[in-house]
Amino acid sequence: IGQIHAESDEPIRLYYRKFPENERGFIYFAHEIRNSDDIYFPVLGPVNSDLDSAPSDDANPDNGIALDEIFSYEIRQQDTRIDVIVRRGDSTGPIIGHNYVDMEQQNSGYDVPDEWMYFKAGVYNLNNTGDGDDFSQATFYELVATHD
């Protein structure tokens, strides 16, 4: 549902995932080490604790997000840290999830002088095994990007 994309890697990819049999979905993010593998961080709901794979299909968090429920998220990057904050409702709602990655601690490799990055928000439907009438939909009521 959102990401910071570098030249050929992604410092962060934010996911909302809900399985058909579950009432609610969960939010997690992947941090791609430059020219290497992804590591995963839970934000709202369960994610495998070994941080080397995406969540399993039995994840149905009690505090998760239902379809058609409004929630907001912030991706904040300052210095070597990227924080993700999830709120129920709009940007003034209560915080229901938070996690971060410290790129220096992970030795992520994004401290390259000529590296460039950009922000993306939207839906990327990666389901290539579903029914022909499957679809993904997201509505963004507000999108704010700032850069210092």
Side-chain angles (χ1 to χ4, degrees):
I1 55 176
Q3 71 179 230
I4 298 175
H5 201 296
E7 185 174 358
S8 60
D9 298 301
E10 294 115 356
I12 187 168
R13 286 188 320 272
L14 186 63
Y15 293 92
Y16 167 82
R17 189 167 187 185
K18 182 198 160 298
F19 293 97
E21 64 277 5
N22 295 341
E23 294 178 30
R24 290 166 300 284
F26 49 95
I27 296 176
Y28 65 101
F29 67 86
H31 174 66
E32 185 176 17
I33 305 298
R34 188 177 170 156
N35 300 316
S36 190
D37 295 328
D38 295 347
I39 52 176
Y40 295 87
F41 296 83
V43 179
L44 178 65
V47 172
N48 296 345
S49 60
D50 59 10
L51 297 181
D52 65 358
S53 60
S56 63
D57 61 1
D58 60 354
N60 188 23
D62 291 337
N63 64 339
I65 303 292
L67 291 180
D68 295 324
E69 180 178 357
I70 293 175
F71 68 96
S72 61
Y73 68 84
E74 299 171 50
I75 300 174
R76 293 183 180 175
Q77 187 271 317
Q78 184 170 357
D79 298 322
T80 64
R81 182 170 157 150
I82 302 175
D83 283 81
V84 175
I85 300 164
V86 175
R87 297 175 184 272
R88 197 165 305 281
D90 65 17
S91 62
T92 64
I95 294 174
I96 57 173
H98 171 252
N99 207 344
Y100 71 93
V101 60
D102 185 318
M103 294 185 288
E104 183 175 36
Q105 181 181 22
Q106 297 295 334
N107 196 25
S108 300
Y110 291 102
D111 56 345
V112 177
D114 293 333
E115 181 73 88
W116 50 268
M117 298 186 192
Y118 58 95
F119 301 92
K120 294 168 74 174
V123 174
Y124 302 92
N125 189 2
L126 300 177
N127 181 2
N128 58 9
T129 61
D131 297 331
D133 59 352
D134 285 353
F135 71 96
S136 295
Q137 176 180 328
T139 302
F140 288 82
Y141 295 98
E142 181 178 15
L143 185 61
V144 177
T146 61
H147 188 275
D148 292 333

